[in-house]
Amino acid sequence: MNKLLEVSDISKHFGGVTAIHNLTFSLEKGEILGVIGPNGSGKTTLINLISGIYGPNQGRILYKGQDTMGLKPNRLVRLGLARTFQATVLYSEATVLENVLRGTHLIMESGFFDFLFHTKDARQKEKEAMEKAMAYLTFLGLDKVLDQQVKNLPYGYQKFLGVVIALATGPDLLMLDEPAAGLNMEEALEIKRAIEKINDKGITLILVDHNMRFMMSLCHRMVVLNYGEKIAEGTPQTIKKDERVIKAYLGGGHSGGHN
Ligand SMILES: Nc1ncnc2c1ncn2[C@@H]1O[C@H](COP(=O)(O)OP(=O)(O)OP(=O)(O)O)[C@@H](O)[C@H]1O
Ligand SMILES: [Mg+2]
């Protein structure tokens, strides 16, 4: 069995709003899975559920065969599950290197006792994360700007930096929420190449983005959400021609200009 993730019949409600409704899909090791759908269709909520920020009201999520119910985001990060956020969370006054240091520290932050006593285990994990971060900075061409303040970098580099910080935790599954949003065509192409390189290293990816050209050219398979429900699933080729998808999303002026 090569399933990395199995999402079975999950639902998530916020008060009267159903953000995810009876959703089932699975993910093979090594895949790039795209999740698309109109604004408010539940894409970010899905990432929040998989990364343990929320628990589902119903259903089950298995990661590497293990039920993730009740596991905190930090615990899931240690099991190899990492994500970036839709809005880039960076310290704009700090340099690239300082951001990586702080970012890896925050993500890898150990348990309360590790934190109090700064244990050997915690120090070792941080050291490893730092080494990984440095390797990925070089891998993605950011090693030339280590000493620059983030606010002076092009937006594309800032997006890369968020990805590097997630990669530094050594994920098997990486989820990127709108990696191409706000990027120009050239920057989107660069991040596409970077994602392909990351996938070549054997890292499985879930991508959410409104840039259809970007998504269609990168994803092996796609899941389409509408009002929290899966309305289609398949290769980019089949998704492009799916009547329900065209009606709900592709035909409605969501051609990629979304921020
Ligand atoms: N923490 C929350 N509290 C209340 N409602 C929420 C919360 N998070 C999401 N929602 C609601 O759940 C629905 C799905 O939102 P979500 O952010 O997952 O959509 P999305 O597909 O990521 O949209 P976008 O493309 O605009 O990023 C929306 O109606 C949203 O208002
Ligand atoms: Mg979103």
Side-chain angles (χ1 to χ4, degrees):
M1 192 192 72
N2 255 347
K3 296 247 184 296
L4 188 62
L5 187 77
E6 289 175 84
V7 172
S8 310
D9 200 28
I10 59 166
S11 294
K12 180 68 187 172
H13 316 288
F14 295 105
V17 176
T18 300
I20 292 288
H21 187 58
N22 295 352
L23 178 63
T24 298
F25 70 91
S26 63
L27 187 61
E28 305 280 327
K29 272 187 195 144
E31 260 191 311
I32 304 181
L33 178 78
V35 179
I36 61 171
N39 295 123
S41 57
K43 305 179 297 295
T44 298
T45 302
L46 176 63
I47 292 184
N48 287 337
L49 287 166
I50 298 171
S51 58
I53 291 187
Y54 308 130
N57 296 109
Q58 169 203 302
R60 200 175 66 161
I61 300 172
L62 296 184
Y63 171 65
K64 295 181 181 170
Q66 182 180 351
D67 194 332
T68 66
M69 184 62 109
L71 298 184
K72 298 251 155 49
N74 280 2
R75 175 94 187 94
L76 289 168
V77 165
R78 289 193 192 185
L79 294 175
L81 208 157
R83 56 90 57 90
T84 61
F85 289 87
Q86 188 164 346
T88 331
V89 203
L90 295 170
Y91 305 93
S92 60
E93 297 293 326
T95 67
V96 168
L97 186 60
E98 284 162 355
N99 265 278
V100 173
L101 282 168
R102 288 194 212 186
T104 48
H105 175 73
L106 280 180
I107 296 176
M108 298 301 281
E109 195 177 293
S110 325
F112 182 61
F113 287 101
D114 284 341
F115 176 72
L116 272 187
F117 301 115
H118 206 213
T119 61
K120 201 172 158 206
D121 182 52
R123 279 201 306 274
Q124 180 61 26
K125 285 219 174 68
E126 268 186 52
K127 186 167 165 276
E128 282 170 19
M130 202 48 225
E131 282 166 8
K132 279 214 181 73
M134 287 310 296
Y136 274 115
L137 284 168
T138 309
F139 181 64
L140 298 181
L142 279 169
D143 51 328
K144 298 176 280 292
V145 294
L146 283 182
D147 298 329
Q148 284 197 33
Q149 275 180 301
V150 163
K151 66 176 181 192
N152 296 329
L153 291 181
Y155 190 54
Y157 274 71
Q158 299 186 22
K159 285 267 177 176
F160 267 52
L161 193 49
V163 177
V164 167
I165 291 169
L167 280 170
T169 65
D172 298 307
L173 171 58
L174 177 62
M175 297 188 282
L176 304 178
D177 199 355
E178 306 210 4
L183 301 187
N184 62 37
M185 259 172 65
E186 204 176 310
E187 289 172 332
L189 192 62
E190 275 186 45
I191 204 128
K192 172 180 177 298
R193 290 202 192 104
I195 290 168
E196 283 166 344
K197 277 170 86 175
I198 292 163
N199 183 239
D200 283 345
K201 280 186 168 278
I203 297 174
T204 307
L205 289 125
I206 295 182
L207 303 180
V208 167
D209 209 276
H210 287 286
N211 182 332
M212 274 311 113
R213 190 186 293 184
F214 173 82
M215 291 295 273
M216 295 278 173
S217 66
L218 253 177
C219 298
H220 303 149
R221 202 158 56 87
M222 294 177 130
V223 164
V224 188
L225 297 181
N226 193 33
Y227 295 108
E229 282 189 72
K230 182 170 78 177
I231 58 165
E233 179 174 4
T235 62
Q237 296 318 312
T238 53
I239 290 299
K240 224 187 277 187
K241 294 187 218 125
D242 188 292
E243 286 298 327
R244 284 186 78 186
V245 179
I246 293 167
K247 192 153 174 275
Y249 187 48
L250 296 179
H254 295 275
S255 55
H258 171 88
N259 58 26

